[in-house]
Amino acid sequence: LKYLGIINILSKCDALLSTTLCGAARIAVGLNDGEYEYIDVPGLIGQDLELIGSGGMGSVYRLSGGRIYKEYSDKMPFVDIIREERCAKTAFKAQISTPRSYGIYTRNNLYGIVFEEIKGRMLSDILMDNQEAGMDIEGSRNDGEDSDKIIRYASDMGRLLKSLHSAKLDEHTIPLTKDIYREYLERLDNYYTPEEVSVMSRFLENVPDRLTTLHNDFHTKNIMLKGDELVIIDMAELSLGHPVFDLANVYDLFVLLADRTPSATMRFTGISADISPKVWHYMIRAYMGSVNDENISSLESILSSFSLFRVALSPAIYVNLSEETLKRRVDRSKRDFIGRIDEHIKAFKLIDDILK
């Protein structure tokens, strides 16, 4: 197999073997055709590790030489670690503003990726600094100075996302977004009838085909400020598809979530529901390079439809949700999305006129 050709196969792996010797590991990734790709993973030795953060899927340590080690818990499939590392390298080579990856390592029978350390602050923390000081986007205590700062960061987010969407990546090295969503549809048998899944498939196939570089998790906790430059982190879900996939996710996090579950906005984006819709307001106008409110209103209507599609896919996307929550989402999807599919598909006819 070619170096990056395996990326499109990783989600279909059917076996995983590992042998460890002297702190290093050789991983055999089993493919559907019965063959293996062997990946040698060096041991992370001779390093003093300083814990700087931890979460449900692992921990982050500071190393010497301006690098960090993102170590994953044993719940993370090794194939997902491979995919993130290779996507990060591909993005960096394409001159996307993201940290350099230095490869996969192992330590104490766990695996992780060594990245360049970004000397800066998370954008969510910077935005919340202004709010906690009693200043928001519409006004400030300092004659608009801090208010202008927040507007600038939101606008810079839009330009950063536009820059990412303009990057050219080889379609043979990065997964296609529609293929990922087709796999989601295959995992819904326990929640929808075949006819209902077919209706959702029809919606997906009406999304125009494009090869735009997508982040798929673009928000203020995945952006850092390094000097005057915004840097995107966490390239694990990089894919190629129509920009509506990325924009719908951002709109859902910053606007729709803030409206339906304000307390969850902070958890997912690191900023409060009071300011997240305003960040979207300035971000999308910078992204589109326009203040045409009619176009933006039409786009937001389409993104709302797409958000309902993602809600319908909850059993496949959000595997940690309780059965009670999944049932509520499925019932809502059958009523508001599947039951009104023709109007949602009709709305999509305008998408390429708006996002040229």
Side-chain angles (χ1 to χ4, degrees):
L1 293 174
K2 293 182 180 178
Y3 171 61
L4 285 171
I6 191 174
I7 280 187
N8 286 328
I9 307 173
L10 287 179
S11 61
K12 302 176 183 177
C13 291
D14 58 13
L16 187 65
L17 305 175
S18 173
T19 58
T20 305
L21 181 64
C22 297
R26 166 163 284 192
I27 308 296
V29 181
L31 309 177
N32 283 345
D33 59 8
E35 297 189 0
Y36 294 88
E37 180 190 13
Y38 291 94
I39 301 173
D40 290 321
V41 181
L44 193 69
I45 57 176
Q47 285 279 354
D48 294 325
L49 277 64
E50 175 192 349
L51 180 66
I52 57 176
S54 61
M57 293 308 292
S59 303
V60 178
Y61 298 89
R62 179 175 287 113
L63 307 176
S64 60
R67 302 183 184 189
I68 61 168
Y69 179 55
K70 184 179 179 181
E71 184 175 74
Y72 301 88
S73 77
D74 55 7
K75 297 178 183 177
M76 175 69 77
F78 184 73
V79 291
D80 290 348
I81 300 173
I82 299 172
R83 180 171 183 264
E84 177 171 359
E85 195 270 339
R86 292 183 175 179
C87 284
K89 279 188 174 177
T90 301
F92 185 82
K93 288 179 181 178
Q95 298 185 324
I96 294 171
S97 182
T98 192
R100 179 193 294 268
S101 165
Y102 294 100
I104 300 174
Y105 288 78
T106 182
R107 185 182 75 99
N108 297 333
N109 294 318
L110 297 175
Y111 298 96
I113 304 173
V114 173
F115 287 103
E116 165 196 3
E117 181 178 11
I118 301 301
K119 300 288 188 180
R121 295 185 67 202
M122 199 175 294
L123 186 57
S124 57
D125 292 340
I126 296 170
L127 293 173
M128 288 305 294
D129 280 351
N130 284 270
Q131 188 185 42
E132 289 168 5
M135 296 170 269
D136 65 15
I137 288 178
E138 300 301 336
S140 75
R141 294 176 182 169
N142 297 319
D143 299 323
E145 180 180 348
D146 291 285
S147 173
D148 290 343
K149 184 188 296 184
I150 299 180
I151 295 171
R152 175 168 65 88
Y153 288 141
S155 300
D156 284 349
M157 279 180 64
R159 288 185 282 269
L160 179 65
L161 185 59
K162 188 69 174 181
S163 174
L164 173 71
H165 286 178
S166 300
K168 301 299 181 184
L169 300 183
D170 185 348
E171 63 183 290
H172 300 295
T173 67
I174 298 296
L176 300 179
T177 315
K178 285 177 83 168
D179 283 347
I180 294 171
Y181 275 72
R182 290 183 184 110
E183 289 187 13
Y184 289 153
L185 289 170
E186 293 175 359
R187 304 179 201 165
L188 299 176
D189 293 349
N190 294 333
Y191 297 89
Y192 299 97
T193 66
E195 292 76 19
E196 289 167 337
V197 173
S198 178
V199 168
M200 288 189 278
S201 178
R202 184 157 63 93
F203 178 85
L204 176 63
E205 299 311 324
N206 270 273
V207 178
D209 290 323
R210 283 204 206 172
L211 294 175
T212 301
T213 300
L214 308 178
H215 185 270
N216 294 303
D217 198 20
F218 187 86
H219 56 74
T220 37
K221 288 175 72 174
N222 275 340
I223 301 171
M224 296 188 69
L225 181 66
K226 178 185 178 184
D228 292 327
E229 177 190 11
L230 292 184
V231 178
I232 311 172
I233 61 174
D234 193 356
M235 308 301 286
E237 299 182 42
L238 202 69
S239 66
L240 299 177
H242 197 284
V244 70
F245 288 97
D246 245 357
L247 292 173
N249 186 52
V250 177
Y251 184 66
D252 189 33
L253 285 173
F254 284 82
V255 179
L256 300 181
L257 183 64
D259 181 58
R260 67 177 182 263
T261 317
S263 60
T265 305
M266 176 68 76
R267 185 166 74 252
F268 287 107
T269 68
I271 63 176
S272 72
D274 295 334
I275 66 171
S276 63
K278 298 174 184 179
V279 171
W280 164 262
H281 174 90
Y282 291 103
M283 192 205 83
I284 192 59
R285 283 157 176 76
Y287 175 89
M288 296 182 71
S290 165
V291 291
N292 186 323
D293 288 339
E294 183 177 348
N295 272 357
I296 291 173
S297 178
S298 297
L299 173 63
E300 290 176 344
S301 177
I302 293 171
L303 299 182
S304 294
S305 291
F306 202 92
S307 175
L308 289 174
F309 177 47
R310 285 179 57 86
V311 170
L313 296 174
S314 291
I317 298 177
Y318 308 111
V319 296
N320 292 325
L321 291 179
S322 69
E323 279 300 317
E324 181 182 355
T325 300
L326 288 176
K327 185 180 185 306
R328 284 201 306 270
R329 290 190 172 206
V330 168
D331 289 344
R332 176 191 170 200
S333 299
K334 291 181 178 184
R335 181 188 69 243
D336 297 338
F337 181 67
I338 296 173
R340 300 166 57 189
I341 194 65
D342 288 335
E343 65 182 83
H344 293 305
I345 289 176
K346 183 179 179 180
F348 254 104
K349 302 300 181 183
L350 301 172
I351 190 66
D352 273 343
D353 291 333
I354 298 171
L355 296 176
K356 296 179 181 179

